[in-house]
Amino acid sequence: MSAPARAGNDVAAGSLTVGSILEGRFRIQELIRTEAGSELYQAVDGQGGATVMVRLVTIVSAAGRAALEVDLVRATRVSHKNLTSIVAVGDHGGQVFVAFEREDGHTLRELVDARRGQGQTVGLDYAQTLMGHVVHALEEVHKAMAHGGLTPECIWVTRSGRVKVSQLGFGRGLPALGFRGGPAGAPEGIYVAPEVMQGSGAAPASDVYSLGAMLYELLTGMAPVPPMQPPSKVIPAVAVAVDAVVGKALSPHPQERFASPVEMLHALIAATSAPAPSAEPREIIRGSRSFDVTHAAGMAENDERWLVQKDRLDYGPFSLTQIMAQLERGAFHAEHHIVDVDSGERQKIKEHPLLGEFAVEAERRLESVRRQQADRVSETVERKKSRATFVIVGVAVIVVGGGLALYLNNRKAAEDDVLVTRSGEEDVDAFIKQFKLDVPSAKGKVRARRGGGRSDDFSGVTNLGDVSSSGGDEILSDAKIQAVMMGNYRKLVPCIMEERRRNAGLSDIDIEFVVLGSGKVSAVRVNGQQKGGFPGCVLGRMQSFGFPSYNGKKTIASWSMSLR
């Protein structure tokens, strides 16, 4: 779910038109906002139908473009359950675009603003938990690059409690994106490290500065702008020892800050008199509880404290969960007003920080269902008319044509099965001698990534669990996948031989496959196709490859070979 457009952002026009297809894959639904030399769109991914976000970079220098392309390639190689997944990176008319997963929650900016609106802060307990999740992501990110643009607008809290870091890869090429994210009226760049503002490249210490600025705001509710009082002076409940942690993180000199976000997290936990941290960073994070956005915002979903005004009548009281259910049914709409029974505060549902975008999305889904139902009714009427006019001819054609097609298909399938079955070792050897078969030998040719809980076999969205690495969230390593594929690739040759008979131009075979935690291959996509004789043959053979079992839901991997 994207953050709502803010005042001052141009959402009236964009480079991409609604309904257009970007690079033959992403169908544009709407322009969300323009910001920092880019346009943010919502789109539907033609490969699986998931809703994604697309950022089109419209203003960038030649040097910025070069840095952007390099960093985005690096970002696509970083996979972590606390990172927003990048779906695709490409070029559209000379402009770089990035498609990434659409989060179903709220930004840290929205959360802090909601608490500030109630005269409260997020508080130390939840701030520490948030830091744990974000640090867990940055620990993986820093193996490849610094983020360089951390702000409350690029940190998401999903409805299931997962904290996600987004906008990875834009720090150098589109630095203005990191200048945003402050509360209304605050100057730009308040979360950016001084050395980055002065044009130096971002480093882990730069991300430490950004974390320190956000921690200050989480604790005090105040924007991190000079002059800043120590957190304990603003909020007496904050331990004095925390002041030193924040002060060190916000040092203007990189060498005087914590060397890494993990070191900062250690210091924060020690300052709050928590149990002594283990030498292993993940031991700290494992103790963190799931972050409940509604509880932290003082808006518990199960508290029946809300009235809904519809047609000049009040309905309720309801809990937020109950209102969401009514929105999904269409009983309430985004334009109806919601009233807080305790405070008397009244606002439109679409303006509520936890219901606004949910309501808009619910109306979109209902409208889509209504259109589909109307189309089906229209199609049914047309079909009935056609059947009434051509029933005799139609039946004859169907019977004759269907019988002939069934006979030919059955015969062809039988022939294919026999051909594949008869392809013995001698045939395989002869085929390999005839065509030089190139298979990847380097680890870099194999790529494994984590799969999530969506119904789409190849969904790259991470599954939801605790913030540790022990909660059933493992994936097979590239090395294990390479070893199994190299030991079994000859079994795929009969499938390739048969496909060559049908498609003489076949030269490259790109295989994407899903390995479940049991080690079984559950789905295969060959050269982008999941259905048909070739993918079916490959799937049948790969189910006997014997991948090792592991403690995780599924691993999505890719492997390739070529004929020369």
Side-chain angles (χ1 to χ4, degrees), residues 91-105:
D91 181 278
H92 175 74
Q95 296 175 321
V96 177
F97 76 87
V98 183
F100 51 95
E101 69 172 312
R102 174 182 175 276
E103 303 296 359
D104 62 339

Side-chain angles (χ1 to χ4, degrees), residues 14 36 57 200 219 285 350:
V57 179
S200 299
L219 296 177
I285 300 167
K350 68 180 183 181

